[in-house]
Every structure is written in C-alpha cells, then in structure tokens.
C-alpha cells in the first residue's frame, strides 16, 4: 500500500520517502470516519531508517516529547515545529518518545537530524506526518517535497526574477562592480567607464564568461568576493571555486528563481551585478 514519493527535498535521513496517506479527504484510520481531511502527508522509510531530518533551515518554535504511544484524541503526539521565516512553518508529528534531538529556540540546518519517527498520538503505526503551513494555512506538502515549489517565493530585483530578466539598474557605485569593470577591461571585454555602476555593457562583458566549480582564475575570485559581499559565501576568496563556492552560487540562484546549476553564466550575472 502506498507509493514511492521520489522526493527532491527530504524529511527522512534515508532519502527514501514512501507515502502511506496523501493530503486531502480520506477515511480516518483511527476512528473510521469518512470524509475526514488529512492536512499533511504520512511517510515511512523504504529502507527502514526512521531518522527525521529538517526540510529546510529554520528555528525550533515548539516541541513535545511526553507521549509514549497512540491515542484516539486527535493528538499530534510528540512533535517538532520549525519556523522558516516569512510565515512559513513545517511540522513533524507522531515522533518517538524521548527521541527529540533539538529544543525550542534552537537553529537547525536543512537535513539536520531532528528525532525518530514513532507511533504516538492519533496514529495506527510508526510513521511521520509532515505538514507545511503558509500564512496560517496548512497546504499540500507534496509539491514542496518533490522540489516543484519552494517554501518562499523567489526574491525580486528591481521587479525581476528568473532566468530571463529584463535588466533595470541601480545607480549606486560599488567597489565590487568597479573591480569587475577593471578586470573586464584588462580582458578586452569592456570599454566603458570604471565607475562601479553596472549597466548593459558591464553585463555584456560579464556574460562572455562562466564560473563554476573548478573554473579557477581571476573571474572566479571576483565571483567569490561578490558572493561574500551579498552574504552567500564565507570561504576563501582564492579564485579556486570548489564545493563551498558552488553551494553559494546555488543559494543565490534559488533565491532569484534561476536554474540552480551552480554555474554563473548568461543572465545569472545580472543578479550578481545589480543586487544592492
């Protein structure tokens, strides 16, 4: 019974989520009541790893760890609630007693172990009930688990987001942009002023380059510095991009609705140049 979710984003450490009950109307498995609404999704692990992990970075806002077994009172049993900012929460229910690894107020990272799934509260067997709540409404978690929908809407920059923006530019000079203009001039890719204000000619010169993992050089060094300025990168500015640089690029791409491939190319440059 059930089916493999083939999730892109995981809440089980084994990354092998198996759905036993979908979001939506169903017959309540405890009471037998028909037409009951299931506000989350029930999951087990195909491989047997019962460790529950955080869906995304967040802060623990509530926990309970006192239930020892199933009840018929509609309870979530033992649970953890995470705040992801912007009115978005995730909830992990029916956890095993005394298995919680985090406390209220703790900051957690995506993929961090939280607890062990159990059979506590309104449940008929060991599983995880997973909720996504946005602005006070519990929504179907399935598209979030499949990676089809982000928890937060993409950031916009001067009204732009996504792979094909229509560039509009700020007018504040910045040392990072001046450094790129100088570099592009030395490479013969830019003939405009070194004024620290990006525009279509700076973008055109930058788009002649691609920076990705293992693409060493001065352009990679500039990308690392720019990502550091924007708060995405805390590694060495050494012109030798490795996994940490790639992760920073992916984080920026996801924030602005870009294809998250870890490579700065084409219109990715716009979001590095125009962000203020």
């Amino acid at each position: 019974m059930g089916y493999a979710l083939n999730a892109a984003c995981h809440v089980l450490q084994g990354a092998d989520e198996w759905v036993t009950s979908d979001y939506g109307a169903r017959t309540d498995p405890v009471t037998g009541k028909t037409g009951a609404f299931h506000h989350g999704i029930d999951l087990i692990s195909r491989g047997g790893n019962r460790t529950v992990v955080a869906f995304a970075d967040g802060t623990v806002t509530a926990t309970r760890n006192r239930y020892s077994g199933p009840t018929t009172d509609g309870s979530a049993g033992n649970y953890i609630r995470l705040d992801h900012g912007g009115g978005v929460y995730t909830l992990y229910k029916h956890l095993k007693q005394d298995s919680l690894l985090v406390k209220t107020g703790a900051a957690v990272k995506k993929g961090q172990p939280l607890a062990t799934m159990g059979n506590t509260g309104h449940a008929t067997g060991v599983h995880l009930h997973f909720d996504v709540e946005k602005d006070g409404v519990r929504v179907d978690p399935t598209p979030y688990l499949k990676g089809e929908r982000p928890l937060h809407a993409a950031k916009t920059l001067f009204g732009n987001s996504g792979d094909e923006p229509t560039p509009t530019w700020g007018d504040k000079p910045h040392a990072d942009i001046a450094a790129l203009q100088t570099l592009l001039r030395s490479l013969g890719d830019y003939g405009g002023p070194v004024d620290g204000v990006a525009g279509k000619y700076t973008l055109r010169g930058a788009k002649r380059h691609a920076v990705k993992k293992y693409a060493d050089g001065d352009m990679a060094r500039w990308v690392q510095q720019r990502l550091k300025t924007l708060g995405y990168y805390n590694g060495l500015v050494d012109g030798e991009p490795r996994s940490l640089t790639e992760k920073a690029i992916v984080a920026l791409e996801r924030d602005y609705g870009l294809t998250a491939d870890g490579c700065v190319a084409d219109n990715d440059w716009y979001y590095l140049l125009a962000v203020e």
Side-chain angles (χ1 to χ4, degrees), residues 17 63 72 145 154 170 187 207 210 240:
E17 290 86 354
T63 62
T72 57
L145 289 164
L187 297 171
K207 286 172 70 171
E240 298 180 3

Side-chain angles (χ1 to χ4, degrees), residues 16 28-29 31 35 41 47 69 81 91 94-95 171 223 225 227:
D16 58 352
D28 188 300
T31 65
I41 187 170
R81 191 171 193 247
L91 187 61
H94 307 308
L95 304 172
D171 57 4
V223 167
Q225 179 56 55
L227 289 167

Side-chain angles (χ1 to χ4, degrees), residues 23-45:
Y23 174 93
R26 66 171 185 174
T27 299
D28 188 300
V30 176
T31 65
K33 180 182 178 181
T34 60
F37 200 90
H38 191 218
H39 289 280
I41 187 170
D42 288 347
L43 302 164
I44 60 173
S45 166

